[in-house]
């Protein structure tokens, strides 16, 4: 196939991907009540994470945070944004399949299996990062910041856009951060990264983790920084084990 043939095939794959995302987004848009029940769940003290901590500690703190909408069309825009992102998340396996099917013919036979592992592993790790944020990082951050007051005379009223922006941004960033073991595996597979190197620079890695956590967190409080940095460092340790295992496989 010549260049224009490849370009036409890529165009077809992209159009199929856009059509799938569009259909999924429309379906998500029509399921407004169910979707926003999930999206708004961390803003209520009955959320599963809060109840779990209450069960573990033996006491809970009930809270009520008012969300408000200051702009006329903002709720409709938020509805469309959430539907689009959810639609993309739902059909992302199909989109990845289309892109991989376009790239796969250019790979050698011995490269195909590692490529499949990297794609599948990367997708699973991304979902794990999104789930960790939704069930742990975002709820605890929202509860702490949403109930924090400098004075009883200053009640908290959180804008809907602030809530949605923080939730979506943290979901995406934590999903990307969770790609660290997959990236480490790929670098180890091509012989660029060694487990001994990662162990030698553990202290420096802690500093880098704290810097990354401070950059990707939308707030500067210590709680959010800790909640984000601890999973990232745990991923670093997991990456060391992955690199060490990959080196043994290649021997």
């Amino acid at each position: 196939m010549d260049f224009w043939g490849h370009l036409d095939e890529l165009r077809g794959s992209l159009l199929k991907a856009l059509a799938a995302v569009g259909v999924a987004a429309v379906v998500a848009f029509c399921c407004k009540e169910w979707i926003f029940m999930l999206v708004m769940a961390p803003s209520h003290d009955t959320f599963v994470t809060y109840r779990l901590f209450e069960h573990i500690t033996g006491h809970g703190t009930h809270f009520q945070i008012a969300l408000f909408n200051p702009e006329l069309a903002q709720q409709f825009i938020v509805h469309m944004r959430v539907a689009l992102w959810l639609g993309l998340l739902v059909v992302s396996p199909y989109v990845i399949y289309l892109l991989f099917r376009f790239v796969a013919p250019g790979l050698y036979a011995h490269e195909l299996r590692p490529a499949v592992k990297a794609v599948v592993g990367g997708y699973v790790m991304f979902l794990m990062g999104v789930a960790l944020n939704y069930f742990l990082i975002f709820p605890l951050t929202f509860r702490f910041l949403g109930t924090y007051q400098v004075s009883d005379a200053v009640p908290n009223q959180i804008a809907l856009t602030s809530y949605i922006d923080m939730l979506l941004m943290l979901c995406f960033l934590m999903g990307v951060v969770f790609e660290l073991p997959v990236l480490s595996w790929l670098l180890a597979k091509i012989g660029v990264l060694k487990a001994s190197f990662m162990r030698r620079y553990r202290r420096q890695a802690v500093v880098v983790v704290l810097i990354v956590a401070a950059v990707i967190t939308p707030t500067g409080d210590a709680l959010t920084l800790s909640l984000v940095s601890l999973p990232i460092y745990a991923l670093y340790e997991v990456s060391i084990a992955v690199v060490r295992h990959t080196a043994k496989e290649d021997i």
Side-chain angles (χ1 to χ4, degrees), residues 11-33:
R11 182 179 64 86
S13 298
L14 292 177
L15 288 176
K16 290 179 181 178
L18 289 174
V21 172
V23 171
V26 170
V27 173
F29 188 87
C30 295
C31 301
K32 180 180 69 172
E33 292 189 6

Side-chain angles (χ1 to χ4, degrees), residues 61-222:
T61 303
H62 298 288
F63 65 93
Q64 185 176 2
I65 302 174
L67 297 180
F68 74 99
N69 175 51
E71 300 179 22
L72 180 62
Q74 200 60 50
Q75 292 204 49
F76 181 72
I77 295 174
V78 166
H79 186 187
M80 290 195 300
R81 285 179 56 203
V82 172
L84 179 61
W85 281 107
L86 186 60
L88 179 59
L89 182 65
V90 169
V91 301
S92 54
Y94 178 66
V95 174
I96 293 172
Y97 164 74
L98 289 174
L99 297 178
F100 185 78
R101 189 180 66 173
F102 174 76
V103 175
L107 300 175
Y108 293 106
H110 67 278
E111 295 174 335
L112 192 58
R113 187 175 178 182
V116 172
K117 286 183 177 181
V119 171
V120 174
Y123 179 71
V124 171
M125 293 302 295
F126 184 88
L127 292 183
M128 289 178 61
V130 172
L132 178 69
N133 176 67
Y134 178 78
F135 286 105
L136 183 63
I137 295 175
F138 178 75
L140 297 183
T141 301
F142 176 79
R143 176 175 172 173
F144 172 75
L145 297 179
T147 57
Y148 185 84
Q149 292 179 270
V150 295
S151 171
D152 291 336
V154 187
N156 286 326
Q157 289 184 321
I158 312 300
L160 174 64
T161 52
S162 176
Y163 177 91
I164 296 297
D165 288 345
M166 184 175 178
L167 175 61
L168 294 179
M169 182 173 64
L170 278 179
C171 280
F172 176 75
L173 291 176
M174 290 307 299
V176 172
V177 167
F178 263 63
E179 301 296 325
L180 179 61
V182 178
L183 178 61
S184 299
W185 176 77
L186 287 173
L187 294 177
K189 203 70 178 175
I190 62 178
V192 174
L193 190 61
K194 302 294 182 182
S196 58
F197 174 83
M198 298 181 71
R199 287 194 298 266
R200 188 183 311 123
Y201 290 96
R202 263 196 180 102
R203 294 181 179 178
Q204 290 82 350
V206 172
V207 177
V208 173
V209 165
L210 291 174
I211 294 174
V212 171
V215 170
I216 69 175
T217 50
T219 59
D221 62 287

Side-chain angles (χ1 to χ4, degrees), residues 222-236:
L223 175 65
T224 307
L225 184 64
S226 301
L227 288 174
V228 174
S229 58
L230 288 177
I232 298 177
Y233 182 74
L235 287 173
Y236 184 81

